[in-house]
Amino acid sequence: MDLARPQVGRGRGRRTGNAARLGLMAVPVAFFAVFFAYPVAAIVRRGLETDGAWQLGRITDVLGQSDIRHVLWFTTWQALASTALTLLVALPGAYVFARLDFPGRQVLRAVVTVPFVLPTVVVGTAFLALIGRGGLLDELWGVRLDTTVWAILLAHVFFNYAVVVRTVGGLWAGLDPRQEEAARMLGASPLTAWRKVTLPALAPAVGAAALMVFLFTFTSFGVVQILGGPAFSTLEVEIYRQTSEIFDLATAAVLTILQFAAVGAILAVHAWTVRRRETALKLVDASLTARRPRGAGQWTLLAGVLATVAVLLVLPLAVLVQRSLAAPGFGYYRALTNADGGTFLVAPIHAVGTSLSYAAAATAIAVVIGALAAAALTRRDAGRLVRGFDALLMLPLGVSAVTVGFGFLIALDRPPLDLRQSWILVPLAQALVGVPFVVRTMLPVLRAVDVRLREAAAVLGASPWRVWREVDLPLVRRALLIAAGFAFAVSLGEFGATVFIARPDSPTLPVAVARLIGRPGDLNYGQAMALSTILMVVCAVALLVLERLRTDRSGEF
């Protein structure tokens, strides 16, 4: 009888744990149901339903249009090309940051990560300053690459370089170098040893990085909108055009369904890749694997990576800053203080304060929702329901932000959810994008907490909330701050949904930049460069703070 008591207690504890997990999931599920699923479903229903009947024949009608098929083809083709080019350019950088120790390594690591947290509008603007009309290449050699596919591909590499470096480099730094050294001692050449030993171990990380890059480029909006011109359109850009310019909700709904299906498939493959990565490898302390460069080969590789970072990542941002300072006496920055009734109801400089306040509110929402979700996902022995919940949290990264923003206007227009005139609408949309970053930052740390600490607190009578407050929170406080920083950076730069719902008297920085670029004149162009520089500096400061908080072993986003 006594022997049975631990089993009974264990069963009761498991049931209590499951109940607590479901309780933690309740708030995030409700949040995503109301502010993600409902708006997306509303716009799809509005486009495909007539007089209470679903018109599914519209799907085949839309897919039968040659221009729509061209958009689908270009979206897929440019995403594949961007992914391949990013891997080709960034994998040497992953090796350098993982295996080589050199002065300024941590600072350069932060510099490499800056483009990833920059808003896509800033990335597009930076490349306009480099390769567009009146840009550096145009001035020096009369060469313009804007409105070409190369501009889009290079901007995507710029934006996603850090994804490969930090995802692959994080795993590479933890691989035991003695395995490859053993293969070399047995007579294998350096290339053969890398191909036979290291590459198979890196395959899950390379696959995960490739899928993330493909996802980000497949749903690209701001970069293609600014650099692609009328000649190039991705699914995201076409959804925006169909909703805001042509007002064809049926076509927009069909494209949303296609993008949703594609993103779901990509996330399913990504989840499988991540599970392989988590369970298949034995890692060592990453701080012990980096060494000073040895031999001409390693020094040459280091120099090549530094040159790539300088030309591909630093130069566009430097040109952006230079263009913002082109007017004498900080003229473009001073012009931001003047109210422009043609584009804004307030002076453009007010977008800075508006963006900061919106991002702060969005960060608070994202941290609360994301922390609850991460706590619910802490145990690895999760069932299908919890794994499905995990996938739900990632969907906002891939589903059209344009659809979400326009869906807000359509769905949240009746009491008690008539929020169209409320300032909270923008932070809610931004928080949807920030939640996945909070979850992905906090989840590995929460899973590393010794479960016996939680069990001991529960045995002593602590409630689930007190266990979280007394056991988990002190151990994950740093991860929580990092998560908040990422949520703040991505909220600050959200553009796809905000462009629909930002009020004329309260534009955010990305919306203000896009509107200024869309207007002719050197003054508008210069003000766009100035606002982009301000936005870049704010994001860079947030990233440098994150880099100081980052633990030595955190190799991923």
Side-chain angles (χ1 to χ4, degrees), residues 154-315:
L154 289 175
H156 283 163
V157 175
F158 169 92
F159 190 72
N160 293 291
Y161 184 90
V163 175
V164 177
V165 167
R166 302 200 57 156
T167 302
V168 179
L171 179 61
W172 209 333
L175 295 180
D176 192 344
R178 292 173 296 184
Q179 297 178 358
E180 190 171 328
E181 293 171 358
R184 294 283 305 278
M185 292 180 62
L186 294 174
S189 65
L191 179 60
T192 300
W194 182 82
R195 182 169 54 86
K196 296 289 188 181
V197 178
T198 304
L199 183 58
L202 289 176
V206 174
L211 284 167
M212 282 191 288
V213 174
F214 184 85
L215 175 64
F216 293 144
T217 53
F218 187 84
T219 58
S220 181
F221 176 60
V223 167
V224 180
Q225 179 81 350
I226 293 176
L227 297 178
F232 302 103
S233 180
T234 57
L235 272 174
E236 189 88 351
V237 174
E238 189 64 21
I239 292 172
Y240 175 77
R241 190 174 75 89
Q242 294 290 338
T243 52
S244 65
E245 299 177 9
I246 303 177
F247 303 107
D248 186 351
L249 292 187
T251 299
V254 172
L255 296 181
T256 297
I257 293 172
L258 290 175
Q259 186 169 359
F260 190 86
V263 168
I266 295 169
L267 291 177
V269 176
H270 179 262
W272 175 76
T273 304
V274 169
R275 284 198 298 271
R276 282 190 59 197
R277 178 180 174 185
E278 287 181 345
T279 58
L281 297 173
K282 298 295 184 182
L283 305 180
V284 298
D285 188 348
S287 63
L288 304 177
T289 60
R291 300 175 180 175
R292 299 283 293 179
R294 294 178 296 180
Q298 290 189 347
W299 282 106
T300 301
L301 181 61
L302 176 59
V305 169
L306 293 178
T308 300
V309 170
V311 173
L312 180 64
L313 305 184
V314 177
L315 182 60

Side-chain angles (χ1 to χ4, degrees), residues 62-63 68 82 145-146 151 215 321 348 358 420 455 471 486 505 522 538-539:
V62 170
L63 294 180
I68 297 299
S82 297
L145 294 177
D146 59 326
L215 175 64
V321 175
Y358 281 166
R420 289 177 301 174
E455 293 174 347
V471 177
F486 272 122
D505 60 342
D522 290 338
V538 174
C539 290

Side-chain angles (χ1 to χ4, degrees), residues 339-357:
D340 181 0
T343 303
F344 306 104
L345 299 180
V346 295
I349 195 63
H350 285 283
V352 177
T354 301
S355 288
L356 292 175
S357 59

